[in-house]
Amino acid sequence: MAKRARVRAPELVGKGGWINTGGKDLTLADLRGRVLILDFWTFCCINCLHVIDELRELEERHRDTVVVVGVHSPKFVHEAEHRAVVDAVERYEVHHPVLDDPELATWKQYAVRAWPTLVVIDPEGYVVAQHAGEGHVHAIEKLVAELEAEHEAKGTLRRGDGPYVPPEPEPTDLRFPGKALVLPSGNLLVTDTTRHRLVELEPDGETVVRRIGDGERGLADGPGERARFNEPQGLALLPDGRVAVADTVNHALRAWDPDGGEVTTLAGTGRQWWQGSPVSGPAREVDLSSPWDVAWWEGRLWIAMAGVHQLWTYDPAAGRVSVAAGTTNEGLVDGPADQAWFAQPSGLAAAGDRLWIADSETSALRWIERDGGDGGGDGGGDGGGTGFTVRTAVGTGLFDFGHRDGAAGQALLQHPLGVTALPDGSVAVCDTYNHALRRYDPAAGEVTTLATDLREPSDAVLVEDDIVVVESARHRLTRLRLPEEAVRVESVAHRTRREATEVAPGTLRLDVVFQAPPGQKLDTRYGPATRLLVGSTPPELLADGAGQGTGLSRELVLADGVAEGVLHVSAMAASCDDDPATEYPACHVHQQDWGVPVRVTADGVSRLPLVLAGLDGE
């Protein structure tokens, strides 16, 4: 076994305290003798949610030797609220201890630069590996097996029950509901997300008519009482009367028939889409990635594919899915649909010639429309996004957010998840992390606040002259009269809680650290095994070094006169089993996007290391 670097793990410190431990504060000493996996996450981040799901099987298989500890490290101001973290831990069924670190103390001690990041600590308390992004659990499991064998032989492995203590369940009809839909009957259909089912309610929004799904995680079609979902979110009526369901963690589109009660699968394989997977084809043969909302528009079902920062479409007549907008790069870039960047699109609303989009991670309200060019025609079929243009009404990028009304160009939202078209042509926005319902008026170019004191509103539907809001963190639907005048609120602006990295002027060496997992090597069978894409906001930050290449190291030249900005880095590496005797080696793609705030100072660093997998040796 190769000798590993010996780096002592810093202590776990977080002002918010511990969750899922029965009130006990944990230290590294309490966890000595176990393989410890730190999961640095924040609950707004779709990639972080993917990793929580990836870790479930590993936790179960190694339950007597491995302890996973989530270190919650917030991006948004709302995510620094302890109650919100407690809610998120229950919402996403996190079944391990979580340290609430609102001031990013432990994040800084471990030099973390990206959500999510996994750090592996051996039973003697030394850091042995670090991985940024998702898709690394296969490598970590091999490392865990090595550490188990090594420390069993040394006598330093301690087996037994972990420190996880589950919270007491609360009896409510809904638990963290996601989205809602008005059925033709007048009843309301709600995705009961944390309980993995749909609930039909009478028009009062309270009386339960029926539940669809047996309440257990799974992907099972059939009669409603036996069907299974996995954290379902968005809902939309299809022309044939069925309801399309964005079955988020199953990476699938499902359909429910209100008349017959049957649940079927429309699209997806149950596997998550990865770079290199098909982007169009027969709907049941193409992988999807965390579909969060759906809307019928331009003769197709449009899908907010939060997991890959894109919009896709499903054509029920042809039985096909395809990418319609977005490049998979995370950010805010307008323009032709196939060149636009999104950041976790999470809400959709069709309104005439526009499809409105709640783009959550950029705290933005955006829309897509036909551009009248020659490339249109088929509403997002296999031709991709030609003929459509993406535009932004409110929002500036990944790191600016707040609660500010007024002219749309300077207005601020905070991680909106829902959008609703109003009868007068304006748009209501569920401004989730501001606990507010906002309104954008395209005619006036103004943003106002319609209601406050909502708890994480995630969707809203119109019912006659009222608007019914899904108050996700209050586990209920709330009916509001649409006010004629806006609510006055004090304007607040924020930037991400992450500190900017101070870099020296001139040349900056960018190193993406990647070490193939044990037993694997870079996969060069079909060309270069790595890819690096670099950009910046503003674009003028980089005088040289932007663009795409194959090496994971690059010399960047910072322009004179630009004092600060954000470096956007996207890296990919492909590795395969390194055993000549294996006829069909298993191959894996490792990918991560970083948005690194930087500030140019005379005494700043001249090297920026970003760990994709492994440990930085410099």
Side-chain angles (χ1 to χ4, degrees):
M1 187 180 302
K3 188 173 179 63
R4 298 189 184 91
R6 302 276 284 177
V7 179
R8 176 64 70 178
E11 189 54 81
L12 304 177
V13 178
K15 190 174 181 180
W18 288 87
I19 303 166
N20 281 354
T21 63
K24 180 180 179 180
D25 291 343
L26 299 179
T27 67
L28 286 177
D30 297 326
L31 304 171
R32 197 66 47 82
R34 313 294 289 274
V35 179
L36 176 61
I37 301 173
L38 302 183
D39 176 16
F40 289 86
W41 69 296
T42 187
F43 64 77
C44 71
C45 162
I46 190 67
N47 310 92
C48 301
L49 304 186
H50 290 166
V51 166
I52 290 171
D53 289 311
E54 289 177 359
L55 288 170
R56 294 186 198 280
E57 289 187 17
L58 183 149
E59 290 180 87
E60 181 60 29
R61 283 193 292 266
H62 301 269
R63 60 192 309 174
D64 66 334
T65 59
V66 170
V67 173
V68 176
V69 169
V71 182
H72 189 269
S73 312
K75 171 185 174 181
F76 291 98
V77 169
H78 170 61
E79 293 174 309
E81 297 176 15
H82 184 69
R83 178 69 249 176
V85 182
V86 172
D87 285 346
V89 168
E90 181 190 350
R91 180 195 298 267
Y92 298 115
E93 296 187 299
V94 179
H95 292 167
H96 51 246
V98 173
L99 174 63
D100 180 11
D101 183 19
E103 296 178 345
L104 302 181
T106 298
W107 164 288
K108 295 171 187 174
Q109 286 295 310
Y110 281 82
V112 175
R113 294 185 183 274
W115 297 279
T117 291
L118 296 171
V119 175
V120 182
I121 300 171
D122 73 14
E124 293 180 286
Y126 291 92
V127 175
V128 294
Q130 182 169 327
H131 300 266
E134 51 186 299
H136 298 291
V137 169
H138 67 281
I140 291 175
E141 185 138 28
K142 288 185 178 180
L143 177 57
V144 165
E146 289 184 6
L147 291 171
E148 287 174 340
E150 176 184 341
H151 289 273
E152 188 93 79
K154 291 176 65 175
T156 50
L157 184 70
R158 177 170 57 86
R159 296 180 180 271
D161 293 334
Y164 168 66
V165 178
E168 289 293 325
E170 297 188 32
T172 55
D173 285 330
L174 301 172
R175 204 70 191 161
F176 298 104
K179 305 287 186 180
L181 176 71
V182 180
L183 295 170
S185 65
N187 286 348
L188 294 163
L189 186 67
V190 185
T191 47
D192 193 14
T193 303
T194 298
R195 290 182 177 150
H196 316 296
R197 63 191 179 191
L198 316 180
V199 177
E200 184 178 352
L201 303 170
E202 290 186 3
D204 62 9
E206 297 180 2
T207 306
V208 175
V209 176
R210 55 180 160 172
R211 295 181 172 89
I212 302 96
D214 69 1
E216 298 293 327
R217 284 183 186 270
L219 177 55
D221 290 340
E225 64 272 14
R226 295 204 300 270
R228 287 189 170 179
F229 300 91
N230 198 341
E231 297 184 25
Q233 286 283 347
L235 302 166
L237 276 173
L238 295 171
D240 64 6
R242 292 183 298 167
V243 176
V245 183
D247 196 5
T248 304
V249 180
N250 275 329
H251 310 295
L253 284 185
R254 314 291 293 285
W256 172 62
D257 181 357
D259 295 328
E262 288 285 312
V263 174
T264 54
T265 298
L266 298 175
T269 62
R271 298 183 301 270
Q272 184 182 341
W273 187 95
W274 288 98
Q275 288 289 347
S277 301
V279 296
S280 66
R284 294 293 303 274
E285 299 175 14
V286 176
D287 299 339
L288 308 180
S289 183
S290 297
W292 206 276
D293 203 5
V294 283
W296 186 262
W297 184 66
E298 291 279 324
R300 299 286 194 275
L301 186 72
W302 287 68
I303 309 160
M305 203 72 76
V308 286
H309 317 299
Q310 291 180 316
L311 304 183
W312 287 43
T313 60
Y314 165 66
D315 179 356
R320 297 178 69 83
V321 292
S322 64
V323 173
T327 65
T328 75
N329 292 319
E330 184 179 14
L332 193 154
V333 176
D334 289 342
D338 55 0
Q339 300 173 31
W341 292 21
F342 297 94
Q344 285 178 222
S346 301
L348 299 175
D353 60 356
R354 292 183 178 183
L355 179 68
W356 293 97
I357 306 155
D359 201 29
S360 62
E361 277 295 283
T362 54
S363 297
L365 172 65
R366 307 174 73 184
W367 80 89
I368 186 170
E369 63 185 1
R370 282 199 179 278
D371 60 19
D374 296 332
D378 68 357
D382 286 354
T386 55
F388 291 91
T389 298
V390 176
R391 305 187 192 281
T392 298
V394 182
T396 59
L398 286 166
F399 299 105
D400 292 292
F401 54 91
H403 192 150
R404 181 194 287 157
D405 288 336
Q410 58 86 51
L412 293 172
L413 310 170
Q414 187 180 179
H415 199 81
L417 290 179
V419 60
T420 307
L422 300 179
D424 63 358
S426 65
V427 184
V429 180
C430 286
D431 194 6
T432 309
Y433 288 2
N434 280 327
H435 309 300
L437 187 68
R438 313 285 292 283
R439 175 178 177 263
Y440 168 65
D441 180 357
E446 293 283 328
V447 175
T448 53
T449 299
L450 298 177
T452 57
D453 194 30
L454 301 168
R455 188 68 185 170
E456 293 192 15
S458 55
D459 197 22
V461 292
L462 293 174
V463 179
E464 298 174 342
D465 294 329
D466 297 338
I467 190 165
V468 175
V469 179
V470 179
E471 276 199 274
S472 189
R474 283 200 177 114
H475 320 292
R476 71 187 188 192
L477 304 186
T478 298
R479 195 176 184 115
L480 303 172
R481 178 71 63 178
L482 277 173
E484 295 182 4
E485 295 185 2
V487 177
R488 294 190 180 277
V489 297
E490 184 177 349
S491 294
V492 179
H494 301 291
R495 282 185 64 80
T496 177
R497 300 180 69 85
R498 292 175 59 189
E499 293 181 359
T501 298
E502 294 190 348
V503 296
T507 301
L508 176 67
R509 180 183 166 196
L510 171 66
D511 288 331
V512 174
V513 178
F514 177 76
Q515 298 159 4
Q520 294 200 358
K521 65 178 181 180
L522 287 174
D523 179 16
T524 58
R525 293 173 298 166
Y526 307 108
T530 58
R531 186 187 68 188
L532 181 64
L533 175 67
V534 179
S536 66
T537 303
E540 298 77 23
L541 175 66
L542 288 178
D544 193 26
Q548 185 164 310
T550 56
L552 293 182
S553 293
R554 188 177 301 179
E555 297 289 326
L556 308 180
V557 179
L558 302 173
D560 293 335
V562 182
E564 61 181 2
V566 178
L567 291 175
H568 302 286
V569 180
S570 177
M572 184 273 288
S575 63
C576 289
D577 289 343
D578 187 16
D579 185 352
T582 303
E583 184 176 1
Y584 300 106
C587 298
H588 306 274
V589 175
H590 315 261
Q591 182 177 7
Q592 174 64 11
D593 295 335
W594 291 267
V596 183
V598 295
R599 182 181 303 112
V600 181
T601 61
D603 55 354
V605 299
S606 58
R607 176 178 177 265
L608 177 62
L610 301 175
V611 176
L612 178 60
L615 294 174
D616 181 25
E618 292 192 31

